[in-house]
Amino acid sequence: MYSFMGGGLFCAWVGNILLVVATATDHWMQYRLSGAFAHQGLWRYCLSNKCYLQTESIAYWNATRAFMILAALCCFSGIVIGILAFAQLPTFHRLTRPFSAGIMFFISTLFVLLAMAIYTGVTVSFLGRRFGDWRFSWSYILGWVSLLMTFFAGIFYMCAYRMHECRRLSGPR
């Protein structure tokens, strides 16, 4: 049980770090504008080595920002619950800490999936036509990797929960 929780905790730490880095950096998309290279993130865009804040309140950027922040918060709370799961004090029998941590990691995965789907859909359909020479960049890729890491953290904690439940149910009463 503890090896699954340790693996889940490792995946969660890496996933949370990647979530924060992906959300904070400005390399989600790179493109060429008037012969110069430019890149943009969720918070600012850069043209010719000068960066500017994105002052427009565009719905898909706001939704992507919000879902990425919610994902990082859920992942962090899952990490706290996951650390507390090592000290498994007998509290509730139905809702154990490994189960709660797994659920938080799956909710974080859902938020990352929503953020990445919204950003991908709008970028490909709208901005992809506006800029001829463009591509997704490393911040965007980190977002997808964080999705995988939080998902596997949830899987590990659910496996730890199942092992704990099997031991609890098979033991003497």
Side-chain angles (χ1 to χ4, degrees):
M1 177 171 105
Y2 290 114
S3 60
F4 281 122
M5 289 193 314
L9 207 54
F10 174 76
C11 288
W13 274 111
V14 172
N16 202 22
I17 289 169
L18 293 178
L19 271 171
V20 170
V21 169
T23 304
T25 56
D26 55 355
H27 286 272
W28 280 62
M29 180 178 148
Q30 293 179 343
Y31 51 92
R32 189 180 293 242
L33 186 66
S34 302
F37 287 106
H39 55 89
Q40 73 178 23
L42 299 177
W43 309 100
R44 60 186 195 158
Y45 63 96
C46 300
L47 301 167
S48 303
N49 295 328
K50 289 186 179 180
C51 295
Y52 309 95
L53 287 176
Q54 293 193 18
T55 56
E56 300 105 15
S57 181
I58 299 175
Y60 90 95
W61 275 331
N62 292 338
T64 304
R65 291 173 191 157
F67 283 131
M68 291 296 280
I69 291 170
L70 286 173
L73 291 174
C74 284
C75 187
F76 182 74
S77 64
I79 289 171
V80 170
I81 296 169
I83 290 171
L84 292 175
F86 282 102
Q88 187 64 276
L89 301 173
T91 53
F92 301 109
H93 290 288
R94 288 242 184 236
L95 186 66
T96 62
R97 289 186 186 132
F99 182 77
S100 300
I103 292 297
M104 291 306 290
F105 294 135
F106 285 138
I107 291 171
S108 176
T109 302
L110 176 68
F111 284 147
V112 176
L113 180 64
L114 287 171
M116 299 306 289
I118 289 169
Y119 188 84
T120 303
V122 173
T123 301
V124 169
S125 66
F126 175 68
L127 295 177
R129 293 183 189 137
R130 185 174 161 200
F131 304 109
D133 185 19
W134 69 276
R135 66 183 177 107
F136 292 115
S137 192
W138 59 269
S139 297
Y140 175 80
I141 295 168
L142 288 182
W144 283 109
V145 174
S146 71
L147 177 126
L148 291 174
M149 296 305 282
T150 56
F151 178 74
F152 285 123
I155 293 290
F156 280 133
Y157 268 92
M158 286 300 166
C159 289
Y161 166 72
R162 292 296 298 163
M163 284 185 67
H164 176 71
E165 282 299 303
C166 289
R167 285 184 190 158
R168 187 177 71 83
L169 293 176
S170 66
R173 292 190 180 234

